[in-house]
Amino acid sequence: MTRHIRTATLATAAALAITLSACGTGGGDGTGSGEGSGAADAGTVTFWDPYPQHTEGSPWDELIKSCAPEGTTVERQGIPTADLLNQLTTAVREGGAPSVVVLDNPVVADAVGAQLVADAEQTGLDTTGFDENLLGPGIVDGTAYGVPFGSNALGLYYNASLLEENGIDPASITDWDALDAALETVTAGGAQGITFSGIAGEEGVFQALPWFWGSGADLADLGSDDAVATGRLMSDWIAAGYAPRSATTDNQSAAWDLFLTGEYAFAENGSWFAQAAADADFEVGVIPIPSRDGGVAPVPTGGEFMTVPVQEDDAEASYARSAELIACLTEGENLLNTNETLGYLAAKADVRAEQVAANPLWEPWAPIVEGASGRTTELGTDYPVVSALLSEALQTSLNAGGDADQIRTAFTDAADAG
Amino acid sequence: MTSSTLTAPVPQVAGRARDAEPGRRRRRRHDRWMAVAFAAPLLAYLVLFYAVPLIQNLSMSVHGYDRNTFVNGGAPFVGLDVYRDVIGQDRFLRVLRQTAIFTLASIAVQYVVGLALAVFFQRSFRLSAVLRGLFLVPWLLPVIVSGTTWQWMMNADTGVLNAALGLVGVDPVWWLSADNALMSVIIANVWLGIPFNLVILYSGLQNISPDLSEAAALDGANAWQRFWRITMPLLRPVSLITLLLGLVYTLKVVDIIWIMTLGTGTSQTLATWSYGMAFGKGTSAVIQYSEASAVGSILIVIALAFGLLYIAAQRRQED
């Protein structure tokens, strides 16, 4: 028995000792350790991006490596978008932050709030010449934090032959009523209506925002009649059988796969599928998403920012190398290369015009990108909370089967919680 | 662990009883150090991988962490505020109730079906080994595969489940809607858990001597009586551990729920709620380290309570 007690004491003592030391590093300033993985080594520049689909040796990978500042090599890592910010958080905490990180635009404000990325002035990034609406999400309290090299946006793809069979002119779909009428016609004709992603979280909110903003609603007031109208529009689509019920769990890729079956007349999806649309088995066209009372709805800006994480050791030299790499990827002729390689539209008007002139696929997308609004531009670091509340209201709406009272309650609850 | 490493040298010591006293004392001290040395790796392991994370988890739940203080330090001590905040939320009781339903319904059905199958397979028949092997498939498949398959089968418009229901004239069900989500993830989780129950209960049954049943049959007990009066009581220790393990496994399930519904609607449990907050995933991208730790701690306390209940039940059985 005594032996047991003694072992227990020993264990407790050891536990205490280790815990104390753990607290020392954990609660501390996060310096030291992890030098191997970080930017501490002057010979390597580490580059994290959310494009794991571009593997080593792919054109994107090669492009980055060709931009390595003199005397350095680039170590690139592709990390799924959903994990990138968390990995960056841990890396900065452990003192092993990468030299450059490509962040999805709605999380830049969050990263700035947590002091993960250094501001453009400090690092010497040149943010001039980029479109103001695309630069917006990278500006927090008047300070720029990154370079919005390119953008993508949402549009309304349509199955040209299905519309023709049902006698619908896509050019006539300029408001919600026209769209609903078209959906009614095609479903009455035996086809399916529209696919979109209503999945919980940011992806679903991204897809709902064109309708939300197109109704005249404002993210600062989730309880407004216009906001409720958005919930009703999408809820009614499911209730009427225009949209699949799986929309509540479909992400954008799943929604696109449904459209590719050829059974659906419309698909709300992104410009990143423009090439896939051109390669589809049937003829696919695209129109801007209509606003409620007519005209083009503002869509949220899609795309990423190149940012420079905060460095502890030898920061100045490290920032200079990072800025040089980013400048190489986003200035002059290479801005075109970067965007064409990733399938994005450039965030500078002249380069974008070049892309459109060279590839007619881009033609319908350029005006959509130019009319897009940043999700975090207005709300800054408050955006994630509002987005989460909107996501809950949308999920309730999509499940409500068009029940107007339930939808109104969901949105007013969201407004009250905000 | 320590005592078993000590027993080996003891006979040797006893055999040389004529040795001088100081030598024996020295050896005893030596043995004690040996014991510590043997136990040290285990202790280090327990401390590093159990005690430290547990204490960090508790520490996190009583400090107000956000992304900034997580990285740069300076999270203020807030005492039990985070617990108060979590428990005070409207959703807490709802999520707790859903967790209870998910856990209890899952293990009850898993156990009953697993036991029925184990009894069924006890009588060896042709292909019984092959069939038993097939029942293990859910266990062998990666959950990402089975979860996605369940989601696909439960598709409200084009899923095979609704197609099958349509054949027998039942209206299609919107399986993954907010209201039905809990039922749907329970169905998938039961399917996932049956093999575990089957394997453990089957091996438990193998350990019960058939002689007892035979003797009872000679005394006139029918099959039903033999099952309830002989098999079940003898299977009790195995049943207890199966249920306890099932309970702990089910309480902490995140993967199957997450893959099917992201924990939306009624399928939110304490485990998925905590996961979503800890990593800023699911409906809200807002990272809530402290709240996630608090919910995690509550989960640990619940699991611990059932662990103690198990020990009490086991002790009563031994007496």
Side-chain angles (χ1 to χ4, degrees):
Chain A
M1 207 61 207
T2 48
R3 188 166 291 134
H4 280 274
I5 292 171
R6 228 169 266 159
T7 355
T9 324
L10 193 76
T12 321
L16 274 175
I18 294 180
T19 316
L20 288 176
S21 63
C23 286
T25 52
D29 56 7
T31 50
S33 75
E35 273 171 312
S37 60
D41 182 359
T44 52
V45 177
T46 41
F47 188 98
W48 287 7
D49 66 44
Y51 319 120
Q53 72 275 24
H54 295 282
T55 50
E56 196 166 343
S58 63
W60 170 241
D61 189 66
E62 300 283 318
L63 179 62
I64 297 165
K65 287 177 178 165
S66 73
C67 271
E70 212 174 311
T72 66
T73 49
V74 173
E75 250 175 54
R76 173 188 168 250
Q77 216 181 327
I79 298 164
T81 312
D83 299 324
L84 187 55
L85 184 60
N86 284 342
Q87 291 214 17
L88 178 69
T89 306
T90 318
V92 173
R93 178 186 151 113
E94 306 295 337
S99 317
V100 176
V101 65
V102 182
L103 285 178
D104 193 11
N105 76 76
V107 307
V108 172
D110 204 358
V112 170
Q115 296 175 310
L116 300 179
V117 292
D119 71 65
E121 203 172 314
Q122 204 178 351
T123 53
L125 289 183
D126 182 10
T127 57
T128 53
F130 293 98
D131 289 11
E132 208 171 312
N133 64 333
L134 301 177
L135 191 59
I139 295 176
V140 181
D141 295 333
T143 310
Y145 284 86
V147 176
F149 55 98
S151 181
N152 50 51
L154 290 169
L156 202 57
Y157 288 99
Y158 60 86
N159 182 328
S161 47
L162 259 181
L163 291 199
E164 202 181 273
E165 276 169 36
N166 289 282
I168 298 163
D169 175 13
S172 71
I173 297 170
T174 53
D175 59 25
W176 288 7
D177 286 341
L179 177 62
D180 276 344
L183 288 171
E184 196 184 341
T185 311
V186 287
T187 47
Q192 308 286 331
I194 181 169
T195 77
F196 65 95
S197 162
I199 191 169
E202 187 56 37
E203 196 170 349
V205 170
F206 178 66
Q207 286 246 328
L209 279 176
W211 312 102
F212 185 86
W213 282 333
S215 73
D218 188 334
L219 282 174
D221 183 11
L222 295 180
S224 70
D225 287 348
D226 293 333
V228 175
T230 316
R232 288 197 54 180
L233 174 78
M234 301 179 103
S235 187
D236 286 344
W237 285 346
I238 291 183
Y242 299 163
R245 283 179 285 192
S246 66
T248 56
T249 50
D250 283 337
N251 60 24
Q252 296 181 107
S253 298
W256 181 251
D257 288 344
L258 278 176
F259 178 65
L260 284 187
T261 59
E263 292 169 20
Y264 285 86
F266 296 96
E268 180 194 0
N269 228 310
S271 53
W272 55 91
F273 283 131
Q275 190 56 52
D279 299 341
D281 297 336
F282 48 91
E283 197 196 325
V284 178
V286 64
I287 50 172
I289 294 171
S291 64
R292 181 169 55 181
D293 302 321
V296 176
V299 300
T301 56
E304 288 83 27
F305 277 76
M306 289 195 191
T307 62
V308 179
V310 172
Q311 303 289 345
E312 297 282 350
D313 309 323
D314 195 19
E316 211 164 303
S318 172
Y319 290 154
R321 286 191 296 273
S322 306
E324 195 182 334
L325 175 60
I326 293 176
C328 170
L329 286 167
T330 58
E331 282 173 14
E333 190 56 24
N334 264 359
L335 183 62
L336 180 72
N337 280 346
T338 297
N339 281 285
E340 282 292 320
T341 312
L342 291 173
Y344 283 15
L345 271 166
K348 283 182 179 169
D350 52 335
V351 182
R352 200 163 49 238
E354 235 179 291
Q355 285 180 285
V356 174
N359 188 349
L361 218 57
W362 288 129
E363 214 165 306
W365 291 103
I368 300 179
V369 163
E370 279 152 20
S373 304
R375 279 166 274 180
T376 57
T377 307
E378 187 189 356
L379 296 171
T381 45
D382 292 337
Y383 174 74
V385 175
V386 174
S387 164
L389 292 168
L390 179 56
S391 178
E392 267 182 44
L394 286 167
Q395 276 282 318
T396 309
S397 304
L398 296 182
N399 276 286
D403 182 333
D405 292 338
Q406 215 180 326
I407 296 166
R408 178 164 291 281
T409 314
F411 276 87
T412 44
D413 281 357
D416 292 344
Chain B
M1 191 54 80
T2 43
S3 59
S4 67
T5 52
L6 276 177
T7 44
V10 170
Q12 287 178 355
V13 174
R16 296 177 198 163
R18 267 158 293 165
D19 279 4
E21 273 298 300
R24 185 185 285 185
R25 199 171 295 158
R26 201 179 309 136
R27 187 161 294 134
R28 198 178 288 163
R29 202 181 303 145
H30 174 76
D31 287 345
R32 193 165 293 155
W33 278 114
M34 284 283 283
V36 171
F38 273 114
L42 175 75
L43 282 178
Y45 170 77
L46 285 177
V47 167
L48 267 178
F49 294 99
Y50 288 81
V52 172
L54 210 63
I55 292 166
Q56 286 237 326
N57 185 59
L58 280 176
S59 152
M60 214 161 202
S61 67
V62 293
H63 289 87
Y65 274 97
D66 59 21
R67 207 185 279 278
N68 194 341
T69 49
F70 179 74
V71 174
N72 301 309
F77 179 79
V78 292
L80 294 177
D81 279 4
V82 179
Y83 286 88
R84 243 173 258 134
D85 170 50
V86 164
I87 294 172
Q89 287 183 30
D90 289 343
R91 71 182 78 191
F92 181 77
L93 279 180
R94 185 166 55 84
V95 173
L96 191 68
R97 206 188 74 230
Q98 285 160 196
T99 310
I101 295 173
F102 177 75
T103 310
L104 297 178
S106 289
I107 55 172
V109 182
Q110 283 169 3
Y111 176 79
V112 171
V113 177
L115 182 61
L117 286 169
V119 171
F120 174 69
F121 281 117
Q122 213 189 357
R123 284 174 293 162
S124 299
F125 50 91
R126 262 205 212 194
L127 290 181
S128 68
V130 177
L131 264 178
R132 200 149 44 84
L134 284 179
F135 267 99
L136 296 187
V137 166
W139 208 2
L140 305 177
L141 275 181
V143 178
I144 182 84
V145 174
S146 36
T148 312
T149 310
W150 273 106
Q151 194 196 37
W152 172 77
M153 289 197 301
M154 285 176 165
N155 186 302
D157 299 308
T158 56
V160 291
L161 275 188
N162 278 346
L165 287 180
L167 287 181
V168 293
V170 178
D171 284 340
V173 179
W174 188 355
W175 295 97
L176 299 177
S177 72
D179 292 338
N180 292 336
L182 181 59
M183 170 183 74
S184 301
V185 294
I186 289 175
I187 292 173
N189 191 53
V190 162
W191 175 84
L192 214 58
I194 286 173
F196 171 75
N197 285 262
L198 167 62
V199 167
I200 303 225
L201 294 172
Y202 180 78
S203 67
L205 286 177
Q206 297 293 88
N207 280 334
I208 298 173
S209 166
D211 298 353
L212 293 168
S213 241
E214 254 169 56
L218 286 176
D219 289 340
N222 63 26
W224 195 244
Q225 287 169 321
R226 291 202 301 275
F227 177 76
W228 282 111
R229 300 276 168 85
I230 295 176
T231 310
M232 279 308 276
L234 287 171
L235 200 60
R236 220 165 104 191
V238 179
S239 294
L240 267 179
I241 193 72
T242 312
L243 289 173
L244 177 81
L245 288 177
L247 192 112
V248 175
Y249 288 159
T250 313
L251 260 182
K252 68 177 176 63
V253 161
V254 171
D255 43 15
I256 186 89
I257 299 178
W258 202 262
I259 293 162
M260 290 173 67
T261 68
L262 289 182
T264 51
T266 50
S267 65
Q268 184 82 293
T269 65
L270 288 175
T272 57
W273 189 26
S274 171
Y275 172 76
M277 290 194 293
F279 298 99
K281 297 204 171 183
T283 307
S284 171
V286 183
I287 207 132
Q288 294 170 284
Y289 297 111
S290 300
E291 288 79 358
S293 305
V295 174
S297 304
I298 293 170
L299 261 180
I300 292 172
V301 169
I302 296 174
L304 203 66
F306 281 100
L308 293 175
L309 205 69
Y310 165 76
I311 291 174
Q314 204 186 27
R315 198 165 281 165
R316 213 185 56 191
Q317 201 165 36
E318 278 167 8
D319 286 346

